[in-house]
Amino acid sequence: LPYLAGDLRQFAAVYLPMMALAIPGQLPRRTSVARKTGTLEGWVTLPVRRELISLSAVLAIAILAAIATVMIVLLRINYGTELSPARVFVLWTGLVAGTSLWNGLAAWLKPRHFLIVTVVGLLVLLTVFGIVLASIAVGGVFASLGIPTWLPIAVGCVSLLLLAPLGGALYGRGLERFELERK
């Protein structure tokens, strides 16, 4: 990246983090497509317990989220942004928890309902980002709160211990109740 031209470097600064987030984000998309096309049936008919399949899905998400986290951290280091281990941990746990929950919803909900939930979730996420960006532009309200270092780590741990297993449970439940819908 340091050797890229100015415009290309700015493009990479925006595009590469999105690509990094798409690494774990492809699993829920593929689960939704597999449910819609009927190829999820292969997971349903495996001769192992649903809990093992759910656990392996959460483990795969954790590995993909680690790859995305490393990519984002390297990009931020390249652009001179300071990163604490707490911020890296919160990024990774957020990716694992969010992707696991999204994957569970993709297996559990019908494709049309999953699309509605995804659109509503993205609108809520964009609203939160807009509020945070507006507060930073106004005067950095959140930066002046003096949040202790242990709080983001605790939030990351709670999200990892609650949302990731919930996503795995929803994924297993979705496999249990899967029935191919004929068109």
Side-chain angles (χ1 to χ4, degrees):
L1 288 177
Y3 304 108
L4 295 176
D7 291 341
L8 192 54
R9 185 179 307 154
Q10 289 175 347
F11 176 74
V14 173
Y15 184 67
L16 289 178
M18 284 192 272
M19 290 301 296
L21 294 175
I23 292 171
Q26 286 299 312
L27 194 58
R29 188 189 70 78
R30 293 204 180 266
T31 300
S32 177
V33 169
R35 180 178 167 89
K36 185 177 181 180
T37 61
T39 54
L40 192 64
E41 187 175 3
W43 288 108
V44 175
T45 58
L46 285 175
V48 295
R49 296 180 52 93
R50 302 287 180 261
E51 292 84 10
L52 184 62
I53 294 173
S54 299
L55 181 65
S56 65
V58 173
L59 181 63
I61 289 169
I63 292 169
L64 292 172
I67 294 168
T69 301
V70 167
M71 192 172 167
I72 290 172
V73 166
L74 290 175
L75 284 168
R76 288 189 176 176
I77 288 172
N78 183 49
Y79 285 105
T81 306
E82 288 186 32
L83 287 171
S84 67
R87 289 178 75 182
V88 173
F89 178 73
V90 168
L91 175 64
W92 178 74
T93 56
L95 284 173
V96 172
T99 306
S100 177
L101 186 61
W102 192 20
N103 191 46
L105 288 173
W108 187 50
L109 296 174
K110 293 181 179 179
R112 187 182 81 205
H113 298 127
F114 175 68
L115 180 65
I116 293 168
V117 168
T118 300
V119 168
V120 168
L122 286 175
L123 287 175
V124 169
L125 189 65
L126 289 173
T127 303
V128 169
F129 279 146
I131 291 170
V132 169
L133 289 175
S135 72
I136 290 172
V138 169
V141 176
F142 291 112
S144 65
L145 289 177
I147 297 174
T149 306
W150 62 267
L151 188 62
I153 293 173
V155 169
C157 289
V158 167
S159 69
L160 188 64
L161 295 174
L162 290 179
L163 293 180
L166 176 64
L170 288 174
Y171 185 75
R173 180 71 176 137
L175 291 179
E176 282 179 7
R177 62 179 225 154
F178 172 75
E179 293 178 16
L180 179 61
E181 296 175 23
R182 304 283 182 217
K183 294 184 179 179

